[in-house]
Amino acid sequence: MALILAAGCDTLNIENPNAPDSKRLLSDPGSVLSLGVGAMQTWFNTFENIDPGTTLSVMARSGVAAWNNFQIRFYTGCTYGAPLGPMPAPYDSLGTCGTKIATYKRVEWQNDPTSTRRLEIETYWYGYYAALSSANDVVKATRVNGVFKSDTTTSKMVETMAVLVQALCLGELALNYDKGFVVDYNTDLLTLQFAGRTAMRDSALARFDEAIQLAKTHTFTVDASFFNKPGVAYDNISVAQIANTMAARLLAYFARDSAENRDIAAGGVVDWARVASYADSGISSSITSGGLAAAPFDWIFQGDGCVNWCDGLKNWSNDMTTMRVHTRVAHLMDPTTQPDPWRAVADSQPVWGVTSFDKRLGDGTFGPVGQHKGTPGPGGVDSAAETYSATANAGTDFAWSYDKEIQFTARGSWHQSALGNIRYIDVAEAPMNPPGVANGVGTAPVVLAAENDLILAEALIRGPTPNLGQAAVLINKTRVTRGGLSPAPSANGLLADLQYEQDVELYSSNVAPYYNQRRIDGLEPLTPHEFPVPAQELGVLGLPLYTWGGASNPLNSTPAPAPPAPVAAALVQNAPRMWAEIQRAQRGRMLANTLLKGLLR
């Protein structure tokens, strides 16, 4: 294993696009454009990163796996008895474990500079700050240096995209960490102090507002290289819609628990009316801020096989030979054949129209035979996916495998599931990628139009002036159109219908399931609800180590302001270098995993 990792790392020649020779690059238009593209590329690679994306997915009981890759097994224990208390249906006294064999509880983030399990804490921090560093340089080049001179259209396009990246980075840091640093091109790094997560959020929202205003004011077409040329054109209106959706998403997902998730008028931290205002002009809207005509779209990037643009989350979560759909979600779609917690003897293939009524699951078949690499098996089965060949009732997003237990049984039965995700197999890891399509090469959304619809629907349910009828219309856009289910509200209620769509429709598009479970108290007891500042940063600042989650720590911070910190200039300046090192290590591990799977098949 060590030799494979070493060989993999030696073959990767990853440049760091976020550490430019400022004096030279920031005076050259082509270099500034490339730097802006690099900022968006780094944001994308961080946002859809395999680590901690897959780990957070399993922590949310959205996807499931038991591999030691990305410390998934370590951070995803199960719960029975105290502190969970009386078990809600469908659980009994064995809780989410379903067994008392080889069980272990959820633990805190291992925020220690000597721990090999700290990378999950570091990826978002260094990735987003690296992207922010580049975006800040681009904003300076356009506003201070006037690098594009008389080419106003290009100048405003690049400036708007850089401000958007600033907002995206600060917003994701606010969603994931208890505090951070608000940095712009004109920030005095010698006096930089910590900002609490609420201040981080508000700084991000201010930049989203700025990006929206720039996009509304200036007409341009975005250079396709900002999204790695996915074959979809984005213009200034599209950028305004993206900024509106991501601002709504930040506000809606910011809460760390159900108390914070209440409207600000009820003592919570979410301004649901403001969420609705943003989402109403988002990527699912036909009109955007200022009454500008728009068209709904999924925000799509082009993956290049994880050479430079990598949707690592989908790469793993759509390979059903590696990762499966958690039984919590599988049971929602078919409570008869998909038990939760896992029991192999009780699991069977979904029966369309009898036990399964969601077209995204159908009867669980998938194919045709030989669609994937590998020799077709006997009896009309696909030997790579280990599924039965597709019938007329095959699902669009999920499939059932007759090889029901692919995880190591010694690592806990709660890590097993027979359902896999097939919606984004074009960017899936081998052997699930279709013939003729390289591993991880293809287009895939980072945010679906449906996610914006569901955010708006929730705002119309939870806000100070509810509009349940319109919320149902928005939910039914996927519940009925893609799922083929009866219109909401169902007998379970409108909120339950909304949360069903959040679990099923948004599966593996990004890590939204973690935020959605976090803010309704759906994460298992002891699960961390946010990341601490990485231990390496605390060490540089001379601050004590701390963490979140586990039996001995709070699950998360309060939304109050952060305490002052020593000067943090070195931390911000070192982020690009640390991000480059993280990418090298991660891609080496991904290559090693692919090689090992090839040897084992």
Side-chain angles (χ1 to χ4, degrees):
M1 181 69 173
L3 289 175
I4 294 175
L5 280 171
C9 290
D10 286 343
T11 62
L12 293 170
N13 182 20
I14 302 171
E15 296 182 358
N16 177 12
N18 302 293
D21 175 348
S22 295
K23 186 175 181 179
R24 176 178 60 84
L25 293 185
L26 299 185
S27 62
D28 176 68
S31 297
V32 171
L33 175 61
S34 296
L35 188 61
V37 171
M40 181 62 82
Q41 174 192 341
T42 300
W43 176 84
F44 165 76
N45 286 338
T46 307
F47 185 76
E48 294 284 49
N49 204 280
I50 196 170
D51 187 8
T54 51
T55 311
L56 293 176
S57 173
V58 182
M59 290 171 77
R61 297 192 299 150
S62 178
V64 71
W67 311 113
N68 280 322
N69 305 62
F70 324 120
Q71 304 301 329
I72 291 174
R73 183 204 62 80
F74 179 80
Y75 283 119
T76 58
C78 62
T79 309
Y80 66 84
L84 198 61
M87 301 300 296
Y91 306 109
D92 56 21
S93 60
L94 294 178
T96 62
C97 303
T99 179
K100 290 190 177 181
I101 300 173
T103 63
Y104 56 96
K105 295 180 179 180
R106 296 287 174 98
V107 296
E108 68 276 9
W109 292 122
Q110 303 297 292
N111 198 26
D112 186 310
T114 65
S115 175
T116 58
R117 298 184 171 107
R118 71 179 192 276
L119 183 61
E120 289 64 43
I121 304 167
E122 297 174 344
T123 301
Y124 284 168
W125 181 274
Y126 292 117
Y128 290 130
Y129 273 118
L132 181 61
S133 174
S134 291
N136 289 344
D137 284 339
V138 173
V139 173
K140 179 180 180 180
T142 57
R143 292 182 176 176
V144 178
N145 300 352
V147 67
F148 291 99
K149 297 182 173 62
S150 60
D151 188 354
T152 305
T153 300
T154 300
S155 180
K156 288 303 177 183
M157 181 272 291
V158 174
E159 178 187 357
T160 303
M161 294 303 294
V163 173
L164 176 63
V165 173
Q166 287 180 318
L168 292 169
C169 292
L170 290 171
E172 291 304 312
L173 288 162
L175 279 180
N176 290 289
Y177 293 88
D178 61 289
K179 54 182 172 286
F181 301 106
V182 178
V183 190
D184 207 333
Y185 72 90
N186 54 2
T187 299
D188 182 359
L189 298 182
L190 296 179
T191 60
L192 188 62
Q193 299 287 319
F194 274 130
R197 58 180 167 99
T198 301
M200 294 285 291
R201 179 199 66 185
D202 293 345
S203 295
L205 291 172
R207 284 164 177 78
F208 278 125
D209 289 342
E210 187 178 354
I212 292 166
Q213 186 59 41
L214 283 166
K216 286 166 52 180
T217 306
H218 303 281
T219 301
F220 55 78
T221 299
V222 181
D223 190 301
S225 58
F226 273 94
F227 312 104
N228 198 31
K229 302 180 180 179
V232 178
Y234 294 97
D235 59 13
N236 58 297
I237 302 300
S238 308
V239 172
Q241 290 175 273
I242 290 168
N244 273 294
T245 287
M246 298 307 284
R249 187 179 187 274
L250 169 58
L251 279 168
Y253 295 173
F254 180 74
R256 269 45 172 184
D257 56 34
S258 61
E260 289 191 11
N261 200 44
R262 293 195 295 263
D263 188 74
I264 52 174
V269 302
V270 184
D271 185 343
W272 284 107
R274 191 177 181 188
V275 173
S277 178
Y278 280 124
D280 198 43
S281 296
I283 63 175
S284 62
S285 303
S286 57
I287 192 167
T288 191
S289 306
L292 300 175
F297 63 92
D298 297 330
W299 186 14
I300 291 175
F301 283 72
Q302 170 77 31
D304 67 357
C306 292
V307 177
N308 293 302
W309 299 77
C310 186
D311 192 330
L313 176 60
K314 294 184 187 66
N315 186 251
W316 254 49
S317 60
N318 283 261
D319 174 11
M320 62 188 295
T321 69
T322 297
M323 195 167 182
R324 294 281 172 88
V325 179
H326 198 284
T327 53
R328 180 185 70 82
V329 178
H331 187 77
L332 288 175
M333 291 187 282
D334 188 341
T336 303
T337 69
Q338 302 305 303
D340 179 38
W342 175 255
R343 286 186 300 130
V345 295
D347 184 274
S348 60
Q349 183 178 351
V351 181
W352 176 248
V354 178
T355 67
S356 171
F357 301 92
D358 192 319
K359 292 191 298 185
R360 290 164 288 195
L361 172 60
D363 63 4
T365 58
F366 176 57
V369 171
Q371 177 173 336
H372 308 296
K373 297 175 182 178
T375 303
V381 299
D382 186 309
S383 63
E386 297 182 307
T387 57
Y388 292 106
S389 300
T391 70
N393 296 318
T396 57
D397 297 7
F398 303 97
W400 181 85
S401 175
Y402 58 82
D403 186 358
K404 297 188 287 188
E405 294 190 319
I406 63 168
Q407 310 294 334
F408 293 126
T409 55
R411 293 181 178 177
S413 63
W414 66 93
H415 285 127
Q416 305 288 1
S417 172
L419 290 193
N421 186 214
I422 56 170
R423 184 174 183 180
Y424 307 112
I425 59 168
D426 281 355
V427 293
E429 185 177 53
M432 288 297 294
N433 52 319
V437 177
N439 183 2
V441 175
T443 58
V446 295
V447 180
L448 293 164
E451 185 170 354
N452 187 78
D453 280 331
L454 296 175
I455 290 170
L456 179 54
E458 185 167 4
L460 296 176
I461 294 171
R462 296 189 186 274
T465 55
N467 186 339
L468 303 186
Q470 182 58 25
V473 170
L474 293 164
I475 293 166
N476 288 333
K477 288 172 72 173
T478 51
R479 176 180 171 84
V480 175
T481 304
R482 295 200 73 244
L485 298 168
S486 60
S490 70
N492 295 323
L494 193 61
L495 186 59
D497 295 340
L498 168 79
Q499 291 168 347
Y500 178 97
E501 289 303 304
Q502 289 172 337
D503 277 322
V504 174
E505 181 64 22
L506 304 185
Y507 183 89
S508 85
S509 58
N510 54 54
V511 296
Y514 174 81
Y515 306 128
N516 285 328
Q517 288 297 300
R518 174 176 74 177
R519 61 197 181 88
I520 62 170
D521 299 335
L523 298 177
E524 291 205 29
L526 310 183
T527 304
H529 287 205
E530 63 187 357
F531 292 112
V533 174
Q536 293 187 71
E537 310 301 274
L538 297 173
V540 172
L541 293 171
L543 296 174
L545 300 179
Y546 73 97
T547 192
W548 303 112
S552 303
N553 312 284
L555 302 181
N556 54 266
S557 64
T558 68
V567 175
L571 307 187
V572 176
Q573 293 167 335
N574 286 338
R577 176 183 59 81
M578 295 296 297
W579 171 244
E581 292 176 3
I582 287 172
Q583 280 200 302
R584 288 190 183 95
Q586 286 182 340
R587 292 178 184 179
R589 284 191 293 166
M590 290 177 71
L591 176 60
N593 183 69
T594 301
L595 293 173
L596 285 173
K597 286 181 66 177
L599 292 172
L600 293 172
R601 288 192 62 81

